[in-house]
Amino acid sequence: MIHYFRVISECLPIHILDQSSSEWCDLAELSVFPEEIKGALRDHFSIYDPRIGLHVDPVARVGVRFDFVRYPHDILVHEQCGGGGGYPALQIFRLKPEVQGQVLARLRRMPREYRAIHIRNTDMRVDVSGFLDRIAPLVVGMPLLVCTDDVAALEETRRRLNGVELLTVAPIPDAQGRSLHYNPDIAGWELDVGVLTDLLAMARAQELILPAIAGTPISGFSRLAADLHRRPWILRSLLHT
């Protein structure tokens, strides 16, 4: 995060620390919630437990999260993946100039009006053909932005939506069906900037169409895009120059 965002709020005591920061020493003796990770903040890592839908400490197996109530501790630690309420944090951040420049350059190539779809089809799977067949009557007459983590899904979209003007704003790496998360073969600056551009381009669309299960978008990335789509003022703040 430290490589891509800067804090714009002057009223909140927010510090973004990297591993080399000297400020970790100042935090070592402060009380921490969850208490099990006191003294280990600098090198702490958590693992995601899909059974309970939370990040947990790998040794103590306690959730690395807090509720929004009063705590007597000096430091509260929270880790979360995906969307589902993550958008408020973006109100106090802005893209760093070097990231912002690349993102804006790609967004300026987009038409004024377009629809967008998101297909996550690696670690989470979706019926791509069925989804495309359902939306085919809905996407005629306006360019369609395709955001996906699966090269095969993009090719399937081109086949099934023949005649629709399809757009992309980021190169889609061929991950051989593997998730883009924690994938050292494709990780790096170019991928991260592409993911950010996809997110913001989806949020700027006139209409955002997401494959869903029981009415709920299938991924946190989709949920975050939908949250930003409904809150254009956060988008403007992120991209403000």
Side-chain angles (χ1 to χ4, degrees):
M1 181 175 181
I2 191 173
H3 302 297
Y4 306 100
F5 295 94
R6 57 192 174 97
V7 178
I8 61 172
S9 173
E10 297 180 356
C11 62
L12 294 174
I14 296 175
H15 300 272
I16 301 178
L17 308 180
D18 60 21
Q19 283 295 100
S20 63
S21 175
S22 61
E23 294 183 59
W24 290 110
C25 297
D26 300 329
L27 304 179
E29 298 304 317
L30 299 179
S31 60
V32 177
F33 183 87
E35 296 177 351
E36 289 81 359
I37 65 177
K38 183 182 186 299
L41 290 177
R42 183 174 193 162
D43 299 312
H44 184 266
F45 68 94
S46 64
I47 58 175
Y48 184 72
D49 187 337
R51 295 172 301 170
I52 59 175
L54 292 174
H55 283 82
V56 300
D57 181 271
V59 177
R61 306 301 297 186
V62 296
V64 184
R65 64 180 300 276
F66 59 84
D67 297 315
F68 290 90
V69 297
R70 288 186 177 273
Y71 289 82
H73 307 79
D74 299 309
I75 300 173
L76 307 180
V77 181
H78 183 96
E79 183 161 358
Q80 175 184 330
C81 62
Y87 69 88
L90 294 178
Q91 297 179 85
I92 58 175
F93 294 105
R94 187 167 292 163
L95 292 177
K96 283 191 167 181
E98 56 271 30
V99 180
Q100 190 179 80
Q102 291 196 33
V103 171
L104 284 173
R106 300 180 190 189
L107 293 179
R108 289 187 184 114
R109 294 197 292 265
M110 294 292 292
R112 184 179 181 85
E113 294 186 348
Y114 59 93
R115 297 185 179 97
I117 61 173
H118 179 232
I119 303 174
R120 180 164 170 176
N121 197 46
T122 53
D123 56 333
M124 294 182 175
R125 308 295 295 182
V126 66
D127 177 7
V128 176
S129 298
F131 168 63
L132 294 173
D133 287 345
R134 287 195 302 275
I135 70 169
L138 308 175
V139 297
V140 176
M142 187 183 293
L144 180 67
L145 171 68
V146 183
C147 299
T148 181
D149 60 353
D150 181 23
V151 170
L154 177 61
E155 293 305 315
E156 182 72 2
T157 304
R158 288 177 174 144
R159 285 193 296 271
R160 290 192 174 262
L161 299 183
N162 184 30
V164 177
E165 181 185 355
L166 301 182
L167 310 169
T168 60
V169 291
I172 302 171
D174 187 356
Q176 303 296 314
R178 296 167 56 201
S179 168
L180 303 188
H181 296 67
Y182 314 114
N183 191 331
D185 294 334
I186 56 177
W189 173 271
E190 184 64 24
L191 175 64
D192 292 344
V193 172
V195 169
L196 285 170
T197 308
D198 266 355
L199 176 69
L200 300 180
M202 288 165 60
R204 284 162 55 107
Q206 272 57 52
E207 184 179 0
L208 179 58
I209 305 172
L210 304 171
I213 298 174
T216 302
I218 64 168
S219 74
F221 191 77
S222 290
R223 289 197 297 273
L224 183 55
D227 285 337
L228 293 176
H229 184 263
R230 292 190 293 267
R231 296 167 177 84
W233 59 91
I234 301 180
L235 282 173
R236 289 194 292 269
S237 176
L238 282 168
L239 294 169
H240 185 68
T241 55

